[in-house]
Amino acid sequence: MKTLYISDVDGTLYRGGEASLRDQTRELFSRLLQTGTAVTIASGRNLYGIYDIATESGITLPVIAYNGAAVYDFHKGKAVKIFPMEREKTRELCQLFEDVGHRYKACVFFEEEQRCLTFNQNGYRSQLWTDLARHPQNGLLYDEPVLERSISEILSGECLYIGTSGTYEQLLPIHEKACTISGVQSVMHRSPYDENKWFVDIGSDKAGKGAAALFLKEMLGAEELVTFGDNHNDIPMLEAADRCYTVPEAPEEVKSIVNGVLDDDPDCVLKFLLKEVNQQA
């Protein structure tokens, strides 16, 4: 494999406020994959949130989920690699959210079942849920949502990340406190769908989209890694790449580190890839 292409989803493949694949986008994916191009996706979403685009697009390579805390192969129904937090760090983060009284979710991986439970705490409710996203062997939901459980239950598996959403003012103090905890990394980023909504995603300092992308590059034996992203949580993946690109509406912090800014087109990533692949043919 010469080149591995990895793209973020929300704000990069999904643009203009759309959160699903358009018919034209599916057609472009089909044309691209027919050329044998090695392409996959990386997202801050859970497995159930990334399942639809992974299956509808025809991608067969492992995908990167949970902001890089897991590399998962939907076709085999197993995690290729996970980057969980230490249990004591998970406990400390849960206690942080309990102390401030803010809602949060903890995504916890269970190896025996090869799936997660998403613990929705303090009133947090996940919206990106579908009963179609089931494990091919055991039929269990990839990220079954459970409500208001104890911290001890959260600690019963491998916590991949803890996240929350809210306004910038609500989340900044939480983000700053999380940044003082050793062994974890906190990323704060704005929603591409609502300019007033922000996210804080906290995971192991050994995780991140960059670490996951480099792992996948090595696992697949690719000579070159090319990445696409639009937001602050994509920066590690962009910096890890041999080449990287962003979309026109990306913040300046992202634009300052990439090799180029793509055209202002809803399918700018796929059209860029098809053009590059055809030029190399």
Side-chain angles (χ1 to χ4, degrees), residues 14 19-23 25-30 33 41 48-60 74-75 130 132:
Y14 292 162
S20 60
L21 285 177
R22 299 179 300 118
D23 289 342
T25 310
R26 291 190 186 91
E27 172 61 24
L28 290 170
F29 258 120
S30 177
L33 293 172
I41 47 181
Y48 63 70
I50 204 173
Y51 178 83
D52 287 346
I53 182 173
T55 53
E56 291 177 19
S57 65
I59 289 172
T60 57
F74 282 119
H75 291 269
T130 170
L132 298 177

Side-chain angles (χ1 to χ4, degrees), residues 33-267:
L33 293 172
Q34 285 175 11
T35 68
T37 303
V39 59
T40 190
I41 47 181
S43 178
R45 294 187 182 204
N46 299 356
L47 289 177
Y48 63 70
I50 204 173
Y51 178 83
D52 287 346
I53 182 173
T55 53
E56 291 177 19
S57 65
I59 289 172
T60 57
L61 292 178
V63 299
I64 296 171
Y66 310 103
N67 267 324
V71 180
Y72 200 90
D73 189 326
F74 282 119
H75 291 269
K76 294 181 179 178
K78 61 182 292 186
V80 178
K81 177 73 173 179
I82 62 170
F83 302 85
M85 291 186 287
E86 296 177 7
R87 280 181 170 78
E88 283 308 308
K89 303 302 179 183
T90 302
R91 186 194 305 276
E92 191 172 350
L93 286 169
C94 289
Q95 194 60 55
L96 186 161
F97 280 96
E98 296 296 333
D99 291 343
V100 300
H102 194 80
R103 63 197 188 102
Y104 68 100
K105 66 177 179 180
C107 297
V108 182
F109 186 75
F110 293 87
E111 184 175 359
E112 185 173 335
E113 298 173 343
Q114 284 294 310
R115 59 129 180 192
C116 276
L117 295 184
T118 299
F119 292 83
N120 295 284
Q121 305 291 105
N122 293 347
Y124 191 100
R125 296 296 180 264
S126 301
Q127 295 180 344
L128 294 171
W129 181 82
T130 170
D131 61 3
L132 298 177
R134 292 182 179 273
H135 189 283
Q137 274 77 49
N138 58 35
L140 298 171
L141 292 170
Y142 276 117
D143 296 275
E144 183 179 340
V146 294
L147 306 178
E148 310 301 345
R149 302 298 176 88
S150 66
I151 292 179
S152 63
E153 288 186 72
I154 295 175
L155 297 174
S156 65
E158 302 283 348
C159 187
L160 299 180
Y161 90 103
I162 291 176
T164 189
S165 62
T167 66
Y168 181 88
E169 292 74 20
Q170 289 173 327
L171 300 191
L172 184 60
I174 296 173
H175 169 65
E176 291 177 336
K177 289 180 180 179
C179 286
T180 67
I181 300 175
S182 63
V184 304
Q185 59 180 344
S186 178
V187 178
M188 187 171 176
H189 54 105
R190 190 198 302 263
S191 168
Y193 305 110
D194 182 350
E195 65 178 13
N196 296 314
K197 185 176 183 179
W198 287 74
F199 298 98
V200 166
D201 299 324
I202 311 167
S204 167
D205 61 0
K206 296 180 177 60
K209 291 183 180 180
L214 288 173
F215 169 84
L216 198 51
K217 176 187 179 183
E218 182 178 356
M219 187 194 87
L220 297 174
E223 298 175 15
E224 182 186 34
L225 174 65
V226 178
T227 61
F228 304 84
D230 75 295
N231 216 327
H232 295 89
N233 62 330
D234 297 317
I235 289 177
M237 180 173 71
L238 297 172
E239 291 181 329
D242 300 293
R243 286 187 287 130
C244 57
Y245 302 89
T246 192
V247 295
E249 59 270 30
E252 289 304 317
E253 297 95 316
V254 174
K255 288 183 178 178
S256 67
I257 64 171
V258 298
N259 294 94
V261 177
L262 302 178
D263 295 336
D264 190 7
D265 182 285
D267 291 309

